[in-house]
């Protein structure tokens, strides 16, 4: 998931879109869902996730890369002719984030703890590097630019939540979660999201009810914007 080997540099992954919309927690949520769709992560005890299989047992066509040793810069992937040798593209950084999240699951872990994990924080910072290089983050605080917020708003308008899930792809799921947060989780992976603590319950009287979503967006975002999804292809081009 999150791979887009053949996408142009100007196109963004769901992980990046989520980071622009809702910050690190939103980006890590997309990575968690991507790993769940790969079949290598599942809900653990209430409010946690856990690794269900080694990453090699998931998407064999697009395996997750290993993390570099601490203090060693991120190495570019081997060139396949689709990008310049030595380039670290947005899709590779998204895979690095997924790899960091999976590697942090030595035991069942909640989303908040994952966001604070040192290797996950480093991987999120790498995703920020790609956004900064594209001019979508301001310096020195690395906040989304006005253009980035407009682009996220445009994507949300052009990709509303579907009424039904039938016929939709994993790429559709990741984009919906990136753009719509909890609302996307409740449409595409409701049971997993609830058990994993990605969405929450509130208790009213004797009934347990889902809490209204808070995540319509920390950032909003016009301009042509493409997203890159899983499985080595691109979708949702504007």
């Amino acid at each position: 998931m999150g791979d887009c080997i053949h996408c142009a540099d100007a196109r963004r992954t769901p992980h990046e879109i989520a980071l622009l919309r809702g910050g690190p927690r939103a980006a890590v949520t997309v990575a968690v869902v991507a790993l769940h769709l790969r079949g290598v992560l599942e809900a653990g005890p209430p409010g946690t996730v856990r690794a269900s299989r080694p990453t090699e047992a998931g998407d064999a066509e697009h395996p997750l890369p290993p993390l570099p040793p601490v203090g060693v810069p991120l190495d570019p992937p081997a060139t396949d002719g689709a990008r310049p040798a030595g380039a670290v593209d947005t899709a590779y950084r998204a895979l690095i984030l997924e790899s960091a999240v999976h590697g942090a699951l030595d035991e069942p872990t909640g989303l908040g703890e994952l966001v604070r994990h040192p290797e996950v924080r480093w991987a999120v910072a790498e995703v920020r590097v790609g956004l900064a290089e594209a001019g979508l983050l301001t310096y020195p605080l690395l906040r989304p630019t006005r253009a980035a917020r407009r682009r996220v708003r445009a994507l949300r308008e052009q990709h509303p939540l579907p009424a039904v899930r039938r016929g939709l792809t994993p790429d559709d799921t990741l984009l919906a979660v990136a753009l719509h947060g909890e609302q996307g989780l409740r449409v595409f992976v409701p049971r997993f999201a609830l058990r994993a603590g990605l969405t929450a319950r509130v208790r009213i009287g004797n009934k347990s009810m889902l809490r209204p979503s808070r995540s319509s967006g920390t950032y909003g975002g016009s301009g042509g914007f493409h997203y890159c999804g899983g499985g080595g292809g691109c979708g949702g081009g504007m």
Side-chain angles (χ1 to χ4, degrees), residues 175-196:
L175 182 63
V177 172
L179 289 173
H180 300 282
E182 285 192 12
Q183 294 175 347
L185 291 168
R186 289 172 182 159
V187 169
F188 284 88
V189 286
R191 293 182 181 179
F192 167 74
L194 187 60
R195 292 174 57 200

Side-chain angles (χ1 to χ4, degrees), residues 1 17 20 24-25 34 50 67 78 95 98 100 107 121-122 128 135 137 141 147 151 157 175 187 199 210 212 216 219:
M1 298 301 142
I17 294 170
L20 290 172
R25 187 180 183 91
R50 62 188 175 196
L67 299 183
L95 292 175
E98 293 177 22
E107 59 184 11
R121 291 178 63 186
W122 168 81
R128 279 199 177 103
L137 296 178
L141 298 179
R151 291 180 180 185
E157 292 172 359
L175 182 63
V187 169
T199 56
L210 286 174
S216 58
Y219 313 119

Side-chain angles (χ1 to χ4, degrees), residues 50-115:
R50 62 188 175 196
S52 55
R53 291 190 294 173
T55 57
E56 295 81 2
D59 187 349
E61 184 178 355
H62 302 286
L64 296 179
L67 299 183
V70 176
V72 176
L74 180 62
D75 288 330
T79 182
D80 58 3
R83 56 183 172 275
V88 179
D89 64 11
T90 61
Y92 187 67
R93 289 191 171 98
L95 292 175
I96 284 289
L97 176 55
E98 293 177 22
S99 187
V101 169
H102 191 272
L105 296 175
D106 294 328
E107 59 184 11
T109 305
L111 181 62
E113 187 176 350
L114 275 177
V115 173

